[in-house]
Amino acid sequence: VVINLGRQNAIYLLDAVLAELTVGGVSYEIASLEGGTTSTSIPPKASAVLVLRSEDMEKLTAALEEQEKAWKERSENTDPNLSISAAKADSVPEAVISSELAEKTHALLHGIVNGVYSMSEDIEGLVESSSNLGILRLSPDGLFVRCYERSSNSEKTDEILAIHKKVVKENGLTDDYTPSGDSWPFNPNSVLL
């Protein structure tokens, strides 16, 4: 329903913030990433458990404040309540994910389709095809991602799936596809219409 409103996907926002931290010189390792509860809705929240030196906590907090300000400016019309924050954990995680899996996760997120893919040629302003990255779970045990593709054009669904399969294969990951339902092509002569 809101795929066309330009709302931020918290999973993508988290990935972008983490990438910016790396560019900004904040050294950390990822213990886990988590976001979303269902594949059919845009995730409003995502979190990361990071391991870093205690003396770098101030640097992290300052960097996150800058990121929050930048993202709020960018998203003021679509996500007025956007916030980015950090808190010190009570304990240190037992393990962190490998840098290889972290890189594969980042590459996967940048390669899969998220958001509007195509607009209807028949009805102005109607989204024809979209894909939503609804769930992300990353831990030392592995990576789990769930996307939901929808379209009124089965060829567009096939295009999106081909893109997803390609990026999964390129990163040495595996996928499992469950059809989400048939396409519903526009019928200007529909009795219901």
Side-chain angles (χ1 to χ4, degrees):
V1 175
V2 297
I3 196 83
N4 62 330
L5 299 181
R7 299 275 314 272
Q8 294 295 334
N9 180 314
I11 294 170
Y12 279 94
L13 193 144
L14 177 61
D15 182 61
V17 167
L18 293 177
E20 191 61 34
L21 289 177
T22 302
V23 170
V26 177
S27 296
Y28 62 86
E29 291 183 273
I30 300 171
S32 66
L33 298 178
E34 187 172 317
T37 56
T38 176
S39 59
T40 58
S41 65
I42 299 170
K45 295 180 182 180
S47 62
V49 175
L50 306 178
V51 177
L52 63 151
R53 296 182 312 225
S54 57
E55 57 266 25
D56 288 340
M57 190 63 183
E58 280 186 36
K59 191 175 181 181
L60 173 73
T61 303
L64 291 179
E65 286 173 3
E66 284 182 30
Q67 284 287 309
E68 181 181 58
K69 182 180 177 187
W71 279 100
K72 277 188 169 187
E73 288 175 7
R74 188 180 306 173
S75 308
E76 64 183 336
N77 294 326
T78 58
D79 297 276
N81 299 320
L82 186 146
S83 69
I84 300 170
S85 61
K88 190 173 181 181
D90 295 332
S91 61
V92 177
E94 292 182 17
V96 295
I97 66 161
S98 68
S99 58
E100 179 185 7
L101 183 55
E103 290 170 11
K104 286 181 178 185
T105 302
H106 181 70
L108 178 72
L109 294 180
H110 281 270
I112 60 177
V113 175
N114 185 67
V116 175
Y117 183 71
S118 63
M119 300 296 289
S120 172
E121 294 179 8
D122 298 310
I123 302 174
E124 185 177 339
L126 178 67
V127 174
E128 176 186 61
S129 306
S130 66
S131 179
N132 181 60
L133 170 59
I135 300 174
L136 168 73
R137 303 284 182 266
L138 176 65
S139 72
D141 295 330
L143 169 65
F144 174 81
V145 171
R146 179 166 284 159
C147 297
Y148 185 74
E149 301 81 17
R150 38 176 107 67
S151 180
S152 58
N153 180 335
S154 60
E155 291 176 6
K156 296 293 184 183
T157 303
D158 292 343
E159 286 176 22
I160 294 170
L161 291 173
I163 292 167
H164 290 180
K165 287 183 176 294
K166 181 179 182 214
V167 74
V168 164
K169 185 176 179 180
E170 287 173 349
N171 286 287
L173 302 168
T174 59
D175 68 323
D176 183 23
Y177 172 65
T178 303
S180 59
D182 294 331
S183 298
W184 60 98
F186 174 66
N187 178 1
N189 301 315
S190 163
V191 173
L192 181 61
L193 183 62

